[in-house]
C-alpha cells in the first residue's frame, strides 16, 4: 500500500478533503455566477448601445429623408420654373420677330412718308422766310433811299456793327435844333421789325402801337414806313414839350 493510500485511510483525512472540495466548488460557483452576471450586464449594455444607435439611425433617416425629398422637390420646382421662363422668352422672341417682319417695313414706309412731308413743309417754310427776308430788306433799302430825301429835313442814318440801321433825327427841339434823337431798327427771327437803343429814352407805350402797325399786314410797305417815321418824329417832339 502506497503512502498516499495509507494517508487516505488516516482518520480525519476524508472530512478535510470533502471540506476542501466543497470550498473549491463554492468558489467555482461564485466565480461562475459573477462571470455570468458580468456577461449578462455587458450584453445588456451592448444591447442598449445597439438600441440607441438604431434609434439614432431611425431619427436621422426620418429627418434626412424628408429633407432630401424637400430639396429634390424644390430643385424640381426651380427647374420647372426655369423651363417655363425659357418657354415664355422663346414665345416672346418669336412674337417680336414676327412683329419686326410684319410691322417694320410698314413703319419704315410711314417714316419715309413723314420725312418727305416734313421736308416739303420745311422747304415751304424756308421759301416763305427767304421771301419775307427779301421783302424786309427791300423795304429797308427803300427806306434808306428815302432817308436821303429827308436829310434836308433833319433825318440821317448810319449802320451799326450788327449791320442794323440807326435813324437819327434833328430839327426837333426848337431850343436846340442840332440835338439828336435816334433809334435803331432791325428784323428779328420772327421776321418782324423791332426798335431798340432809343435816345432819349422813351416809354414803350409811346411807340408800341406804331411798331404794331408797321409789322401789320400792309401792301404798301414804303407808305407804312413813312407813317412810322412820322409817328416816331412826333413822339420825339412830345419829349421836348
Amino acid at each position: 500500500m502506497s503512502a498516499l493510500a495509507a494517508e487516505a485511510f488516516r482518520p480525519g483525512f476524508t472530512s478535510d478533503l470533502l471540506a476542501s472540495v466543497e470550498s473549491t466548488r463554492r468558489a467555482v460557483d461564485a466565480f461562475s455566477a459573477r462571470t455570468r452576471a458580468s456577461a449578462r450586464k455587458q450584453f445588456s449594455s451592448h444591447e442598449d448601445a445597439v438600441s440607441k444607435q438604431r434609434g439614432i439611425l431611425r431619427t436621422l433617416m426620418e429627418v434626412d429623408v424628408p429633407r432630401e425629398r424637400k430639396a429634390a422637390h424644390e430643385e424640381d420646382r426651380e427647374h420647372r420654373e426655369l423651363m417655363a421662363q425659357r418657354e415664355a422668352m422663346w414665345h416672346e422672341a418669336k412674337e417680336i420677330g414676327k412683329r419686326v417682319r410684319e410691322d417694320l417695313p410698314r413703319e419704315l414706309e410711314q417714316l419715309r412718308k413723314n420725312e418727305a412731308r416734313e421736308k416739303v413743309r420745311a422747304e415751304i417754310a424756308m421759301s416763305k422766310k427767304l421771301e419775307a427776308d427779301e421783302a424786309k430788306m427791300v423795304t429797308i433799302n427803300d427806306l434808306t433811299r428815302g432817308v436821303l430825301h429827308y436829310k434836308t429835313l433833319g433825318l440821317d442814318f448810319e449802320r451799326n456793327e450788327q449791320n442794323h440801321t440807326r435813324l437819327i433825327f434833328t430839327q426837333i427841339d426848337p431850343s436846340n435844333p442840332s440835338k439828336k434823337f435816334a433809334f435803331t431798327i432791325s428784323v428779328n427771327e420772327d421776321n418782324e421789325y423791332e426798335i431798340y437803343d432809343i435816345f432819349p429814352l422813351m416809354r414803350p407805350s409811346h411807340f408800341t402801337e406804331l411798331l404794331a402797325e408797321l409789322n401789320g399786314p400792309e401792301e404798301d410797305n414804303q407808305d407804312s414806313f413813312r407813317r412810322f417815321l412820322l409817328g416816331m418824329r412826333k413822339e420825339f417832339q412830345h419829349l421836348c414839350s
Side-chain angles (χ1 to χ4, degrees):
M1 181 180 298
S2 64
L4 180 59
E7 183 66 24
F9 285 99
R10 186 175 55 85
F13 176 79
T14 301
S15 58
D16 292 338
L17 181 59
L18 291 176
S20 176
V21 170
E22 182 63 22
S23 175
T24 301
R25 184 182 62 79
R26 286 196 300 269
V28 170
D29 290 341
F31 174 78
S32 178
R34 288 195 301 272
T35 301
R36 287 195 298 271
S38 177
R40 283 195 298 270
K41 183 177 181 181
Q42 291 180 1
F43 180 75
S44 178
S45 177
H46 178 71
E47 284 190 338
D48 291 340
V50 171
S51 178
K52 289 180 179 179
Q53 291 295 330
R54 289 177 178 173
I56 292 173
L57 289 175
R58 283 195 301 270
T59 302
L60 291 175
M61 291 180 64
E62 291 174 358
V63 172
D64 291 342
V65 169
R67 184 182 301 169
E68 291 177 357
R69 291 177 179 174
K70 183 178 180 180
H73 177 72
E74 184 68 20
E75 183 178 354
D76 183 63
R77 183 184 65 80
E78 292 178 355
H79 177 72
R80 289 197 302 272
E81 290 179 354
L82 180 60
M83 294 301 296
Q85 291 176 0
R86 289 180 178 176
E87 183 73 13
M89 291 174 64
W90 182 83
H91 284 293
E92 184 178 358
K94 184 178 179 181
E95 185 63 24
I96 292 174
K98 180 180 178 182
R99 287 200 303 268
V100 168
R101 289 191 299 272
E102 295 178 354
D103 298 342
L104 186 59
R106 183 168 58 254
E107 292 178 357
L108 288 175
E109 182 63 24
Q110 186 63 38
L111 287 174
R112 293 191 189 98
K113 291 180 180 179
N114 293 341
E115 182 180 2
R117 184 162 52 249
E118 293 300 325
K119 184 177 181 180
V120 171
R121 290 178 180 176
E123 291 175 351
I124 293 174
M126 180 61 69
S127 176
K128 290 182 177 179
K129 185 178 185 303
L130 291 175
E131 291 176 359
D133 290 343
E134 290 176 359
K136 296 290 184 182
M137 291 305 300
V138 168
T139 302
I140 290 179
N141 291 334
D142 291 340
L143 173 63
T144 302
R145 288 191 296 268
V147 165
L148 296 175
H149 299 288
Y150 286 97
K151 280 190 175 183
T152 58
L153 300 177
L155 178 61
D156 200 351
F157 74 97
E158 61 185 23
R159 296 282 185 174
N160 63 10
E161 294 179 355
Q162 291 78 30
N163 200 31
H164 296 163
T165 301
R166 185 163 180 78
L167 301 175
I168 305 169
F169 294 91
T170 57
Q171 307 298 325
I172 290 180
D173 188 353
S175 62
N176 186 6
S178 63
K179 182 179 179 179
K180 294 182 179 181
F181 297 78
F183 64 89
T184 302
I185 187 168
S186 65
V187 179
N188 60 24
E189 294 179 354
D190 296 326
N191 294 321
E192 293 182 346
Y193 291 105
E194 61 181 8
I195 61 176
Y196 64 95
D197 197 14
I198 301 172
F199 181 82
L201 293 177
M202 181 187 300
R203 291 182 180 179
S205 59
H206 292 177
F207 60 82
T208 300
E209 186 174 347
L210 293 172
L211 195 60
E213 182 179 354
L214 178 62
N215 286 316
E218 180 65 49
E219 295 182 359
D220 190 350
N221 289 327
Q222 189 172 358
D223 186 62
S224 65
F225 263 110
R226 184 171 58 253
R227 290 197 303 271
F228 174 73
L229 291 175
L230 292 174
M232 289 298 295
R233 183 180 180 85
K234 288 181 180 180
E235 293 298 332
F236 282 133
Q237 288 174 339
H238 291 159
L239 295 178
C240 298
S241 61

